[in-house]
Amino acid sequence: YPSENIHQLRISFPLPSIDEYWKIKPEDYIRFIFAHEAPGSLNSYLKNKLWTINVDFDIGDSQLYHNSSSSLFTLILHLTRQGLKNLHSIIDTVFEAINLLKRLGPLKRVYDDIQLADLHAFLFQEKIDAITYADTIARNLRKYPSLFVLFGHNLHLQFEPVSIFKTINALDPQTCNIMLISQLCLPYCDQIEPWFNLKYGQFDIPNNWISYWLNPNINHELTIPDSSQYLAIDFSIKPFDIPSTEIPITLLEAEFGTLWYFRNQGTLPKAFFYLHFLSPYMNLTPQHSCLFDFYTLILNSLLRAHAYPGKASHISIHFLSTDTGLILKLTGFNQHLAKYLETILKIMYNFQINEENTTAWKQELKDEYFKELINSKRLIKDIRLYLMKGIWWPVFEKLQFINSITHQQIVDFSILFRSHLTLNMLVSGNMTAK
């Protein structure tokens, strides 16, 4: 993948073996906090600065990264162009967040949230592929005592602050490795890796950087967000208030949309919401189509930030744009699903963007367009739809408008999009028709 158009910062920390802490899983505690996208989290802070797109982690099941003698914990930050220009500030912020974990110590409320959410997910899990399940059990037979083979990898069984604190303290700037992967770094690559014949550069980390990371300033914008607001406690199966049917039935049909309902015979306390937002303004012209792409790109970022507590409670959200509108899919325990949907709709209704961030969003969308242009399959599909459909605007048509679009135009389009919506919705699962 080094040849791909990516900008990735990887910060790796060698840890003592975590095999003996399988009941505690201290690495999951760190991962949970750093992956959090709610306001106040590291992830949210970096995204609000438009420095990162996402934060991932790699501790892996491979013996290369995780064995009985040592482990390797890698924080992976997917950078924007703006982030590449602020690399030093990003790394400083990461160590400010690590310092926050060290100052506060292991928090039982955070561990309880992780423990409870994972227990619920395990008890009410969907049926999975038999081969995948057999593979998991075979691996677990080598790692856990026989009584824990079925759930040792899923559950957090014991809160032990000493072990968690020991793992947090191992996130030491003096032993970390920092890797930047980007084609824009080629001018600084003066060596060649013999196996893959790839150019790379190797540099020592300046001592003054390490000195700051060992004792960073307190960043008052970083906190440990709460994740308990969408944790389910009611797992009762709702009674059938209408006769069961084999296909969805129409509960409401109006000018603004249609509501379908389907109740199967499933016994899990889960529900599924499927919403399709249709607007006549998204594809009127290439400029409207470009504005719609802006709107969905920014909205997706806002949803990930403000709706993350639901994701932490195993409510899954899938949001995508199509040539007819926006599609939103929600799946999870039914108790708080309607409340979670209400939060998402409020975010969509109160859509806003800072004017100073418009330039950075433009660059992000432009990068997405260029990725599509160099993807031959996507380009062929665009051209085919352009010729066959009455209204379809390929990327090369939209690109000519992207530089001239202003902050006010994006805000005006969001209002226009919301004011002429048709909404089709399907509700299924453990919900009553009422």
Side-chain angles (χ1 to χ4, degrees), residues 18 133 231:
I18 56 175
Y133 187 67
L231 277 173

Side-chain angles (χ1 to χ4, degrees), residues 46-65:
L46 295 175
K47 283 184 178 180
N48 288 340
K49 296 279 188 180
L50 296 180
W51 290 346
T52 62
I53 300 169
N54 197 20
V55 176
D56 288 330
F57 303 87
D58 187 4
I59 195 161
D61 294 325
S62 166
Q63 291 184 356
L64 180 65
Y65 300 101

Side-chain angles (χ1 to χ4, degrees), residues 256-270:
F256 56 83
T258 307
L259 173 64
W260 287 280
Y261 170 76
F262 177 67
R263 180 74 186 273
N264 56 20
Q265 298 295 330
T267 57
L268 292 177
K270 294 183 177 182

Side-chain angles (χ1 to χ4, degrees), residues 351 353 406-416 418:
F351 176 89
I353 173 179
T406 64
H407 166 262
Q408 191 58 46
Q409 284 178 306
I410 299 172
V411 174
D412 290 344
F413 178 82
S414 71
I415 297 170
L416 185 68
R418 295 195 308 268

